[in-house]
Amino acid sequence: MSARLSEAALAAHGFDGFEKGLLPVLRQFFLSYERPDSQAWQHAYAVAAERWGETVGLPVAQSLMKLARAVLESREDKFRFIDSLDMEQRGMATGDEAALLRMLHHMRRDQTAQAREAVADVTCGLMDPHVIRAGLAFASRFSAGQAAGMGEAPRLRVVA
């Protein structure tokens, strides 16, 4: 499950708030695929709904679930991720996690060359069409400009 190899602070990568928020959801999905009895997929949906509200969060989670599955199916090597419940490592990212977020970061901004390099990093050198398709579907639905206001869940305010 979690690997301490090539970890770096999440803040050092330059991801936006929306992208940073994807990491806890992705970690739950990776855990659910590694240990199906954990039912971690339920936590993934709950975390996404709590962060962005059900209207945005549930589609985010659904898209990330498809992407996580495609990534795992494309690799022979194990995908290294940090346990989402490890409070000491919460602000860190493994090399695999950073590569996946970097792929989404570039896809969400239509930066094709950089996205292509990131796909190769995620898939260990393969340009897997399922990973590309899932990543582009996510990026199309949650592009950088569109998702700018999705950094946190909606809040109720009292208006006088």
Side-chain angles (χ1 to χ4, degrees), residues 76-152:
E76 290 183 21
D77 294 345
K78 185 176 182 176
F79 188 91
R80 306 283 183 196
F81 64 98
I82 295 171
D83 185 338
S84 60
L85 299 178
D86 186 342
M87 300 306 275
E88 292 178 15
Q89 297 295 312
R90 183 169 275 181
M92 302 299 283
T94 66
D96 288 340
E97 290 172 332
L100 183 54
L101 289 180
R102 194 170 44 255
M103 181 186 91
L104 291 174
H105 175 86
H106 293 304
M107 285 181 170
R108 293 177 67 231
R109 289 162 178 79
D110 288 327
Q111 297 169 339
T112 307
Q114 298 95 323
R116 193 174 297 124
E117 288 177 25
V119 168
D121 289 342
V122 169
T123 61
C124 301
L126 302 172
M127 295 305 286
D128 187 275
H130 300 290
V131 172
I132 295 168
R133 195 173 302 119
L136 289 174
F138 181 90
S140 173
R141 185 151 188 198
F142 304 104
S143 67
Q146 174 192 24
M150 294 185 205
E152 53 189 59

Side-chain angles (χ1 to χ4, degrees), residues 11-25:
H13 293 284
F15 301 127
D16 66 27
F18 180 74
E19 292 159 349
K20 290 176 188 174
L22 301 175
L23 191 53
V25 179

Side-chain angles (χ1 to χ4, degrees), residues 21 32 40 42-43 50-51 61 63 75 77 102 112 126 136 139 156 158:
S32 73
Q42 293 179 23
H43 296 291
E50 183 179 309
R51 182 167 185 100
S63 294
R75 295 171 58 112
D77 294 345
R102 194 170 44 255
T112 307
L126 302 172
L136 289 174
L156 294 177
V158 177

